[in-house]
Amino acid sequence: MGQGTHQVTNQVPDLLDYNLYLTDRALQEGVRREGAGWHEEALIDYGEQLGLPQSFAAARDANRYKPELEAFDRHGVRVDRVHFHPAWRQFMRMAFAQSMHCSAWRSPCVGAHVARAATYLLHGQIEAGSLCPTTMTSAAIPVLQREPLFESIKTMLYSDRYDERDQPVAGKMGMTEKQGGSDLRSNTTCAEPVAAAGRGATYRLTGHKWFFSSPDSDAHLVLAKHKQVFSCFYVPRWRAEGGKNPVHIQRLKDKMGNSSNASAEVEFSDAQGVLVGEEGRGIGTLVEMAMYTRLDCVLGSAALLRQALVQALHHANHRFVFGHALIGQPLMQSVLADLALESEAATVLALRLARALDDPSDSLNQAYRRVLTPAAKFWICKRGIDAVAECMEVWGGNGYIEEAPMARLYRESPVNSIWEGSGNVMCLDVLRAINRQPELADVLCATLLRDCAGEPLLKECAARLSSVLSTSGPTLEAAGRYVAQELVLLSQASLLLQCAPQAVADAFIQTRFAGRGGRVFGVGIPSALAGPILERAWSESSVNQLQSL
């Protein structure tokens, strides 16, 4: 019998069974620095749970087997059910058990939003589709807390148990996207009061929603027109007197990514909704919620970037080319170190933005919330797409194979840049905030100038930015992307100078401000700094030690 010819060599073992939190120094330091050190034990436990082989397998299944719509049952009765793979439900239970949907509002304290953000960063590395309904629930709570109906749903909103039964229970909540995309005033859904109008009153909604996220949620917040103004309505899945609310699912969207999460197109056929807030304040309500949802987009992109990075680093540690491990080859070191800088800068800024929610009275925190959050959503979500693609390329052809994790991470990465306002919408929102609240822009710019005073490159950049901000009209609008980009890069550099090792801060400044960086990752990294940066980002020996415990 002849010798077998099928020999598999130089293949990298799967990265499994590691603690996502204990292997992320930047995240650990950020949690402590931003006031959530009290939550570390829970983060360690969750980092271990998420890193188990069964968690990776469940995430793969949740995205491979997409949600399916059952519009009618076998008797022809309209049911509008969405069937999910059990793995999706598993991740929803995990998210709720960690209180990601409510913890910052249920138990406000120093570091509450940071603790939630860190948990979100861990969860999003393994399964991102389950983040959407979790985000929308969390963002809806501060709006609903002011409403008369809140006491009737408070217990269920604050519950850590995810209840997937399709029956009258307001335990989880989503929010619709708007007909017409970012132009909220093109909304075509109409509302009419059943009896008396006003806050807390019941209305009938009629119309169409082209994008309706998480359609199996027990309630949605819906924007609708009434008397030529736009108001926000709480629309439950079940009517108070029993029976399904006539929110008819027309179809599920076939998306390029975010496959585990269902997104639908729906029709409202005299659906019942309760007015939230005052009539005509619907767009203002959505803008308030957007501050929270956009931060979660930043966190989601930072999570995808971190997972892609560690997968690339793990691959480079085990893959041999030209007789040497990839991780030891200078050009690959430059690429990986640059990606590590991008990941740490995203993590540091995301956690700082989360801390701004814990103390909204501080003027600098207000500037972070109102000005820097949309800028960060623009920049970090967009950079994440390129960074994940580069990480996939580190794997070579293996990264393009669906059985590996990189293809799914890549397909997932554009969603945060698109949802909750695409790039230009974010940049215009930054300019709008600066124009309406110039005092916040002044506080932010003064802080950046102070923190960057010792770095000539940063001072020069800050001065150019101030000059652009002194313009107005079409000139300033045309520079919107430049303004958002520079605000984020200066903020990231400032934060890294304060909290990261010198090698990380120096390399970031040289590649982002000195003209040494290129249009692709891996250009301009000083060779002497690559080693320390990579060791900080991912230590294969430390991972092996943790796995042996």
PDB file of all heavy atoms in Angstrom, residues 267-289:
ATOM      1  N   GLU A 267     -45.068  46.683   8.366  1.00  0.00           N
ATOM      2  CA  GLU A 267     -46.215  47.564   8.150  1.00  0.00           C
ATOM      3  C   GLU A 267     -46.961  47.720   9.468  1.00  0.00           C
ATOM      4  O   GLU A 267     -47.212  46.736  10.171  1.00  0.00           O
ATOM      5  CB  GLU A 267     -47.166  46.976   7.101  1.00  0.00           C
ATOM      6  CG  GLU A 267     -46.595  46.873   5.710  1.00  0.00           C
ATOM      7  CD  GLU A 267     -46.610  48.198   4.968  1.00  0.00           C
ATOM      8  OE1 GLU A 267     -47.241  49.151   5.471  1.00  0.00           O
ATOM      9  OE2 GLU A 267     -45.994  48.274   3.892  1.00  0.00           O
ATOM     10  N   PHE A 268     -47.315  48.967   9.814  1.00  0.00           N
ATOM     11  CA  PHE A 268     -48.176  49.231  10.959  1.00  0.00           C
ATOM     12  C   PHE A 268     -49.607  49.367  10.437  1.00  0.00           C
ATOM     13  O   PHE A 268     -49.887  50.225   9.599  1.00  0.00           O
ATOM     14  CB  PHE A 268     -47.770  50.523  11.667  1.00  0.00           C
ATOM     15  CG  PHE A 268     -46.386  50.489  12.244  1.00  0.00           C
ATOM     16  CD1 PHE A 268     -45.344  51.178  11.629  1.00  0.00           C
ATOM     17  CD2 PHE A 268     -46.113  49.779  13.393  1.00  0.00           C
ATOM     18  CE1 PHE A 268     -44.070  51.162  12.151  1.00  0.00           C
ATOM     19  CE2 PHE A 268     -44.838  49.749  13.928  1.00  0.00           C
ATOM     20  CZ  PHE A 268     -43.806  50.444  13.310  1.00  0.00           C
ATOM     21  N   SER A 269     -50.489  48.525  10.921  1.00  0.00           N
ATOM     22  CA  SER A 269     -51.892  48.546  10.484  1.00  0.00           C
ATOM     23  C   SER A 269     -52.773  48.881  11.676  1.00  0.00           C
ATOM     24  O   SER A 269     -53.321  48.004  12.335  1.00  0.00           O
ATOM     25  CB  SER A 269     -52.287  47.189   9.895  1.00  0.00           C
ATOM     26  OG  SER A 269     -51.463  46.872   8.790  1.00  0.00           O
ATOM     27  N   ASP A 270     -52.850  50.169  12.011  1.00  0.00           N
ATOM     28  CA  ASP A 270     -53.544  50.625  13.217  1.00  0.00           C
ATOM     29  C   ASP A 270     -52.932  50.003  14.470  1.00  0.00           C
ATOM     30  O   ASP A 270     -53.642  49.549  15.381  1.00  0.00           O
ATOM     31  CB  ASP A 270     -55.041  50.307  13.141  1.00  0.00           C
ATOM     32  CG  ASP A 270     -55.799  51.342  12.328  1.00  0.00           C
ATOM     33  OD1 ASP A 270     -55.240  52.438  12.106  1.00  0.00           O
ATOM     34  OD2 ASP A 270     -56.928  51.044  11.907  1.00  0.00           O
ATOM     35  N   ALA A 271     -51.621  49.987  14.505  1.00  0.00           N
ATOM     36  CA  ALA A 271     -50.935  49.457  15.690  1.00  0.00           C
ATOM     37  C   ALA A 271     -51.057  50.449  16.842  1.00  0.00           C
ATOM     38  O   ALA A 271     -51.080  51.670  16.641  1.00  0.00           O
ATOM     39  CB  ALA A 271     -49.467  49.205  15.369  1.00  0.00           C
ATOM     40  N   GLN A 272     -51.165  49.932  18.053  1.00  0.00           N
ATOM     41  CA  GLN A 272     -51.267  50.788  19.230  1.00  0.00           C
ATOM     42  C   GLN A 272     -49.880  51.252  19.666  1.00  0.00           C
ATOM     43  O   GLN A 272     -48.930  50.475  19.707  1.00  0.00           O
ATOM     44  CB  GLN A 272     -51.922  50.035  20.386  1.00  0.00           C
ATOM     45  CG  GLN A 272     -53.411  49.819  20.232  1.00  0.00           C
ATOM     46  CD  GLN A 272     -54.024  49.187  21.470  1.00  0.00           C
ATOM     47  OE1 GLN A 272     -53.320  48.844  22.421  1.00  0.00           O
ATOM     48  NE2 GLN A 272     -55.338  49.040  21.468  1.00  0.00           N
ATOM     49  N   GLY A 273     -49.787  52.541  19.989  1.00  0.00           N
ATOM     50  CA  GLY A 273     -48.558  53.097  20.517  1.00  0.00           C
ATOM     51  C   GLY A 273     -48.862  54.153  21.557  1.00  0.00           C
ATOM     52  O   GLY A 273     -49.871  54.861  21.474  1.00  0.00           O
ATOM     53  N   VAL A 274     -48.019  54.276  22.551  1.00  0.00           N
ATOM     54  CA  VAL A 274     -48.185  55.252  23.622  1.00  0.00           C
ATOM     55  C   VAL A 274     -47.192  56.386  23.400  1.00  0.00           C
ATOM     56  O   VAL A 274     -45.991  56.142  23.194  1.00  0.00           O
ATOM     57  CB  VAL A 274     -47.955  54.610  25.003  1.00  0.00           C
ATOM     58  CG1 VAL A 274     -48.052  55.663  26.110  1.00  0.00           C
ATOM     59  CG2 VAL A 274     -48.964  53.492  25.240  1.00  0.00           C
ATOM     60  N   LEU A 275     -47.676  57.622  23.426  1.00  0.00           N
ATOM     61  CA  LEU A 275     -46.815  58.773  23.186  1.00  0.00           C
ATOM     62  C   LEU A 275     -45.767  58.893  24.291  1.00  0.00           C
ATOM     63  O   LEU A 275     -46.081  58.927  25.475  1.00  0.00           O
ATOM     64  CB  LEU A 275     -47.650  60.053  23.123  1.00  0.00           C
ATOM     65  CG  LEU A 275     -46.865  61.353  22.894  1.00  0.00           C
ATOM     66  CD1 LEU A 275     -46.161  61.331  21.543  1.00  0.00           C
ATOM     67  CD2 LEU A 275     -47.793  62.561  22.997  1.00  0.00           C
ATOM     68  N   VAL A 276     -44.514  58.970  23.871  1.00  0.00           N
ATOM     69  CA  VAL A 276     -43.381  59.155  24.784  1.00  0.00           C
ATOM     70  C   VAL A 276     -42.917  60.598  24.682  1.00  0.00           C
ATOM     71  O   VAL A 276     -42.605  61.083  23.587  1.00  0.00           O
ATOM     72  CB  VAL A 276     -42.236  58.188  24.432  1.00  0.00           C
ATOM     73  CG1 VAL A 276     -40.990  58.511  25.249  1.00  0.00           C
ATOM     74  CG2 VAL A 276     -42.669  56.746  24.666  1.00  0.00           C
ATOM     75  N   GLY A 277     -42.900  61.306  25.799  1.00  0.00           N
ATOM     76  CA  GLY A 277     -42.511  62.703  25.778  1.00  0.00           C
ATOM     77  C   GLY A 277     -43.640  63.579  25.246  1.00  0.00           C
ATOM     78  O   GLY A 277     -44.797  63.161  25.143  1.00  0.00           O
ATOM     79  N   GLU A 278     -43.292  64.786  24.873  1.00  0.00           N
ATOM     80  CA  GLU A 278     -44.284  65.725  24.364  1.00  0.00           C
ATOM     81  C   GLU A 278     -44.450  65.557  22.851  1.00  0.00           C
ATOM     82  O   GLU A 278     -43.529  65.146  22.156  1.00  0.00           O
ATOM     83  CB  GLU A 278     -43.859  67.165  24.675  1.00  0.00           C
ATOM     84  CG  GLU A 278     -43.634  67.450  26.152  1.00  0.00           C
ATOM     85  CD  GLU A 278     -44.884  67.240  26.989  1.00  0.00           C
ATOM     86  OE1 GLU A 278     -45.995  67.470  26.441  1.00  0.00           O
ATOM     87  OE2 GLU A 278     -44.763  66.863  28.166  1.00  0.00           O
ATOM     88  N   GLU A 279     -45.632  65.893  22.361  1.00  0.00           N
ATOM     89  CA  GLU A 279     -45.850  65.875  20.921  1.00  0.00           C
ATOM     90  C   GLU A 279     -44.849  66.817  20.235  1.00  0.00           C
ATOM     91  O   GLU A 279     -44.576  67.906  20.716  1.00  0.00           O
ATOM     92  CB  GLU A 279     -47.276  66.314  20.582  1.00  0.00           C
ATOM     93  CG  GLU A 279     -48.325  65.251  20.839  1.00  0.00           C
ATOM     94  CD  GLU A 279     -49.689  65.643  20.282  1.00  0.00           C
ATOM     95  OE1 GLU A 279     -49.957  66.860  20.190  1.00  0.00           O
ATOM     96  OE2 GLU A 279     -50.450  64.744  19.939  1.00  0.00           O
ATOM     97  N   GLY A 280     -44.319  66.348  19.119  1.00  0.00           N
ATOM     98  CA  GLY A 280     -43.365  67.153  18.367  1.00  0.00           C
ATOM     99  C   GLY A 280     -41.937  67.047  18.840  1.00  0.00           C
ATOM    100  O   GLY A 280     -41.044  67.673  18.264  1.00  0.00           O
ATOM    101  N   ARG A 281     -41.691  66.241  19.890  1.00  0.00           N
ATOM    102  CA  ARG A 281     -40.344  66.097  20.419  1.00  0.00           C
ATOM    103  C   ARG A 281     -39.728  64.748  20.038  1.00  0.00           C
ATOM    104  O   ARG A 281     -38.745  64.322  20.628  1.00  0.00           O
ATOM    105  CB  ARG A 281     -40.365  66.229  21.946  1.00  0.00           C
ATOM    106  CG  ARG A 281     -40.624  67.627  22.455  1.00  0.00           C
ATOM    107  CD  ARG A 281     -39.409  68.522  22.202  1.00  0.00           C
ATOM    108  NE  ARG A 281     -38.221  67.964  22.813  1.00  0.00           N
ATOM    109  CZ  ARG A 281     -36.988  68.151  22.355  1.00  0.00           C
ATOM    110  NH1 ARG A 281     -36.799  68.870  21.260  1.00  0.00           N
ATOM    111  NH2 ARG A 281     -35.936  67.630  22.974  1.00  0.00           N
ATOM    112  N   GLY A 282     -40.288  64.087  19.030  1.00  0.00           N
ATOM    113  CA  GLY A 282     -39.805  62.749  18.675  1.00  0.00           C
ATOM    114  C   GLY A 282     -38.377  62.735  18.191  1.00  0.00           C
ATOM    115  O   GLY A 282     -37.577  61.869  18.598  1.00  0.00           O
ATOM    116  N   ILE A 283     -38.022  63.670  17.329  1.00  0.00           N
ATOM    117  CA  ILE A 283     -36.655  63.693  16.810  1.00  0.00           C
ATOM    118  C   ILE A 283     -35.667  64.011  17.928  1.00  0.00           C
ATOM    119  O   ILE A 283     -34.584  63.407  18.014  1.00  0.00           O
ATOM    120  CB  ILE A 283     -36.543  64.706  15.655  1.00  0.00           C
ATOM    121  CG1 ILE A 283     -37.361  64.206  14.456  1.00  0.00           C
ATOM    122  CG2 ILE A 283     -35.092  64.924  15.252  1.00  0.00           C
ATOM    123  CD1 ILE A 283     -37.387  65.143  13.273  1.00  0.00           C
ATOM    124  N   GLY A 284     -36.045  64.911  18.830  1.00  0.00           N
ATOM    125  CA  GLY A 284     -35.185  65.194  19.973  1.00  0.00           C
ATOM    126  C   GLY A 284     -34.966  63.973  20.838  1.00  0.00           C
ATOM    127  O   GLY A 284     -33.868  63.762  21.371  1.00  0.00           O
ATOM    128  N   THR A 285     -36.001  63.154  20.983  1.00  0.00           N
ATOM    129  CA  THR A 285     -35.878  61.921  21.758  1.00  0.00           C
ATOM    130  C   THR A 285     -34.889  60.974  21.104  1.00  0.00           C
ATOM    131  O   THR A 285     -34.040  60.369  21.776  1.00  0.00           O
ATOM    132  CB  THR A 285     -37.248  61.240  21.898  1.00  0.00           C
ATOM    133  OG1 THR A 285     -38.135  62.116  22.591  1.00  0.00           O
ATOM    134  CG2 THR A 285     -37.127  59.930  22.671  1.00  0.00           C
ATOM    135  N   LEU A 286     -34.978  60.840  19.789  1.00  0.00           N
ATOM    136  CA  LEU A 286     -34.065  59.949  19.075  1.00  0.00           C
ATOM    137  C   LEU A 286     -32.627  60.463  19.146  1.00  0.00           C
ATOM    138  O   LEU A 286     -31.689  59.681  19.243  1.00  0.00           O
ATOM    139  CB  LEU A 286     -34.498  59.802  17.620  1.00  0.00           C
ATOM    140  CG  LEU A 286     -35.871  59.179  17.372  1.00  0.00           C
ATOM    141  CD1 LEU A 286     -36.022  58.850  15.890  1.00  0.00           C
ATOM    142  CD2 LEU A 286     -36.068  57.926  18.204  1.00  0.00           C
ATOM    143  N   VAL A 287     -32.452  61.780  19.098  1.00  0.00           N
ATOM    144  CA  VAL A 287     -31.110  62.352  19.205  1.00  0.00           C
ATOM    145  C   VAL A 287     -30.522  62.053  20.577  1.00  0.00           C
ATOM    146  O   VAL A 287     -29.332  61.739  20.708  1.00  0.00           O
ATOM    147  CB  VAL A 287     -31.157  63.870  18.939  1.00  0.00           C
ATOM    148  CG1 VAL A 287     -29.831  64.528  19.311  1.00  0.00           C
ATOM    149  CG2 VAL A 287     -31.485  64.132  17.476  1.00  0.00           C
ATOM    150  N   GLU A 288     -31.358  62.144  21.610  1.00  0.00           N
ATOM    151  CA  GLU A 288     -30.883  61.824  22.959  1.00  0.00           C
ATOM    152  C   GLU A 288     -30.427  60.367  23.034  1.00  0.00           C
ATOM    153  O   GLU A 288     -29.361  60.053  23.577  1.00  0.00           O
ATOM    154  CB  GLU A 288     -31.993  62.067  23.982  1.00  0.00           C
ATOM    155  CG  GLU A 288     -31.599  61.688  25.402  1.00  0.00           C
ATOM    156  CD  GLU A 288     -32.747  61.835  26.394  1.00  0.00           C
ATOM    157  OE1 GLU A 288     -33.787  62.407  26.023  1.00  0.00           O
ATOM    158  OE2 GLU A 288     -32.593  61.365  27.535  1.00  0.00           O
ATOM    159  N   MET A 289     -31.227  59.467  22.490  1.00  0.00           N
ATOM    160  CA  MET A 289     -30.860  58.049  22.493  1.00  0.00           C
ATOM    161  C   MET A 289     -29.609  57.795  21.659  1.00  0.00           C
ATOM    162  O   MET A 289     -28.799  56.914  21.971  1.00  0.00           O
ATOM    163  CB  MET A 289     -32.014  57.213  21.959  1.00  0.00           C
ATOM    164  CG  MET A 289     -33.224  57.158  22.867  1.00  0.00           C
ATOM    165  SD  MET A 289     -34.539  56.147  22.160  1.00  0.00           S
ATOM    166  CE  MET A 289     -33.750  54.543  22.086  1.00  0.00           C
TER     167      MET A 289
END
